[in-house]
Amino acid sequence: MPRPANLENMEPMTSDAAPANAARGSLYGRLWRSLPRELAYLFIAFPIAVTGFTAMYSLFWAGVGTLVTFFIGVILIIASLYVARGFGTLDLALLRWTGRPPIEKPEWQDARARTGFFGWVRAVLGNGHYWLYLLYVMLLDFIIATITWTIMISWVALGLGGVTLWAWSALPEVQVRSGWIWQLLENSRGLDTVLAYNVVCFVGGVILLVTLPFVTRGLVSLHWLVARGVLGAWRSDTLRREVATLSDSRGAAHSAEGHSLRRLERDIHDGPQQRLVRMQMDLAAAERQLDSDPEKARGLIADARQQSKDALEELRALSRGFAPPILLDRGLVAALESAVVRCSVPAHVVSELPDGTALPQEIERNAYFIASEALTNAEKHSGATDIEVRVALRVDEQTWVDIAVTDNGAGGAFVIAGHGIAGLEERLRGLGGTLEVHSPEGGPTIVTAHLPVTTTSSSSVA
């Protein structure tokens, strides 16, 4: 029997309507799941606001009233600012507990606070966030909490009262004989006034309870919006932190560059330069002995040739500290594999880079240098019998190259200014990265470098 044509037409309608109904049901279900926390917040926000208002009013105006003594007045005003900060921070935590998005906290640190008592006073009194928190606790939160608490209590009480009126109004000691609804129904003919009144109140109570999740969400959202505007961080705070971070990174980069140049100067002085001086002296001695003692001159020339060969090897080794040819030709992993082959301790490379990854040359050069330096430190100081160099690519808010050098040595590694790991930390800070060192006594030691791939170069990552 052929299927009726109207069923053919109904199928698309059903398939389209189902997701919409599911989405609405899912949203309404989420509102009900968050209802207990939102009700709890609205219920406790009012007594907290009243407590904060009372404390702020007493402390602040006591401070203003005693400003003639200066010291006592200023201390009381600063105390009120700190208490306001505490109440504001508590409200931010409670709002986050309800499920609202977290609000970024302000930047409270101020360099002036480290310059002594008067610097601390200027830092606190000159921070606009403290005064906004004071305004919030002394005025805004008190007003909003009073309004939202009243609406919430009234909505819940009327809803529950309307739904249960039919039960407790039947009791002989309870008589409902007031209200405009009762008056309207009583003037209508042909109606059982009590029954009609119970039905109307029941329907109204159901409507109030069904819409309660939307009401609590709106009231909590009002608290959240005001808190975000008054208690949250400013854009200038973020810019100030970024400027400070960039300044620190630039200073660290200059320091790391100076450290690298001093080390390069020392390595050249102690290595190739000494060999070239020795070769020059051998050649001069050979020249003097060429006529009187050809055999001795021949030996001196052979020594000079060996010195030139050793100097060349040392120069090649130094050049690998900048950018070995294999790094430019075959990439980071191949260069690291070449580095571990030259290591006197058995070592291996584990690459977790996705196939076809092509990092910018500057990122590869820094990653190679950092890994090579960490490998050298482990080779010289750890007493390890096995070293692993692991490199991976990680993407969260931006792209990172993670390099972990793990050895099974004695452990106990720590940062000493101007040496080894400290140099790596300084170099990474200059690049905007971070260094993690995990080295318990007995090992293993894990040195992990997180190197950011900058926005300008991240497009090169395939």
Side-chain angles (χ1 to χ4, degrees), residues 9 66 130 221:
N9 298 329
T66 55
Y130 279 106
S221 297

Side-chain angles (χ1 to χ4, degrees), residues 58-79:
S58 303
L59 268 176
F60 180 75
W61 289 113
V64 172
T66 55
L67 272 178
V68 290
T69 63
F70 183 74
F71 182 79
I72 296 177
V74 168
I75 292 300
L76 287 176
I77 290 176
I78 290 178

Side-chain angles (χ1 to χ4, degrees), residues 134-155:
L134 182 70
L135 173 66
Y136 180 81
V137 177
M138 282 190 65
L139 183 64
L140 298 178
D141 189 40
F142 177 74
I143 295 174
I144 295 171
T146 302
I147 294 172
T148 57
W149 187 86
T150 303
I151 294 174
M152 182 270 296
I153 291 295
S154 301
W155 207 278

Side-chain angles (χ1 to χ4, degrees), residues 61-344:
W61 289 113
V64 172
T66 55
L67 272 178
V68 290
T69 63
F70 183 74
F71 182 79
I72 296 177
V74 168
I75 292 300
L76 287 176
I77 290 176
I78 290 178
S80 68
L81 294 177
Y82 272 102
V83 174
R85 173 179 168 181
F87 275 100
T89 303
L90 173 62
D91 200 37
L92 291 180
L94 290 173
L95 284 170
R96 185 171 183 178
W97 174 71
T98 65
R100 297 292 81 208
I103 298 173
E104 184 182 0
K105 295 180 181 179
E107 181 62 54
W108 300 107
Q109 300 299 323
D110 193 316
R112 292 176 296 180
R114 295 190 291 269
T115 62
F117 174 77
F118 290 102
W120 169 70
V121 170
R122 289 195 303 272
V124 175
L125 296 180
N127 190 330
H129 289 295
Y130 279 106
W131 295 100
L132 282 177
Y133 272 58
L134 182 70
L135 173 66
Y136 180 81
V137 177
M138 282 190 65
L139 183 64
L140 298 178
D141 189 40
F142 177 74
I143 295 174
I144 295 171
T146 302
I147 294 172
T148 57
W149 187 86
T150 303
I151 294 174
M152 182 270 296
I153 291 295
S154 301
W155 207 278
V156 172
L158 290 174
L160 293 177
V163 169
T164 60
L165 178 67
W166 60 271
W168 51 268
S169 65
L171 299 175
E173 61 272 15
V174 178
Q175 298 294 329
V176 180
R177 295 290 187 272
S178 63
W180 65 271
I181 297 178
W182 176 269
Q183 297 295 331
L184 181 64
L185 294 174
E186 193 176 32
N187 295 330
S188 301
R189 296 180 179 180
L191 286 178
D192 185 335
T193 305
V194 174
L195 177 61
Y197 185 75
N198 288 340
V199 170
V200 170
C201 289
F202 180 83
V203 172
V206 169
I207 293 174
L208 290 175
L209 293 180
V210 168
T211 57
L212 180 61
F214 297 100
V215 174
T216 58
R217 175 59 58 87
L219 297 177
V220 172
S221 297
L222 175 62
H223 277 271
W224 182 83
L225 287 171
V226 175
R228 187 182 67 171
V230 179
L231 304 182
W234 300 334
R235 290 185 179 180
S236 59
D237 292 339
T238 304
L239 293 175
R240 192 180 298 112
R241 283 196 300 271
E242 290 179 356
V243 169
T245 301
L246 289 174
S247 179
D248 291 343
S249 298
R250 184 175 61 182
H254 287 318
S255 178
E257 181 182 6
H259 176 72
S260 298
L261 289 174
R262 287 192 298 273
R263 188 181 64 175
L264 177 62
E265 180 183 11
R266 182 178 65 251
D267 290 343
I268 292 176
H269 178 271
D270 296 341
Q273 182 175 333
Q274 295 296 324
R275 295 191 182 279
L276 291 173
V277 170
R278 172 71 183 278
M279 183 180 69
Q280 184 182 23
M281 293 173 63
D282 288 345
L283 289 175
E287 186 179 10
R288 289 194 300 269
Q289 298 291 334
L290 192 60
D291 294 330
S292 60
D293 193 348
E295 288 298 325
K296 187 175 181 179
R298 191 176 291 111
L300 291 172
I301 292 174
D303 290 342
R305 184 187 304 159
Q306 183 62 41
Q307 293 294 333
S308 68
K309 182 179 179 181
D310 292 341
L312 180 59
E313 289 297 324
E314 289 184 352
L315 286 172
R316 285 174 177 170
L318 287 173
S319 69
R320 283 194 292 266
F322 299 106
I326 191 173
L327 176 65
L328 302 177
D329 296 339
R330 297 175 54 192
L332 177 61
V333 176
L336 291 176
E337 290 173 345
S338 174
V340 301
V341 168
R342 298 191 303 271
C343 184
S344 60

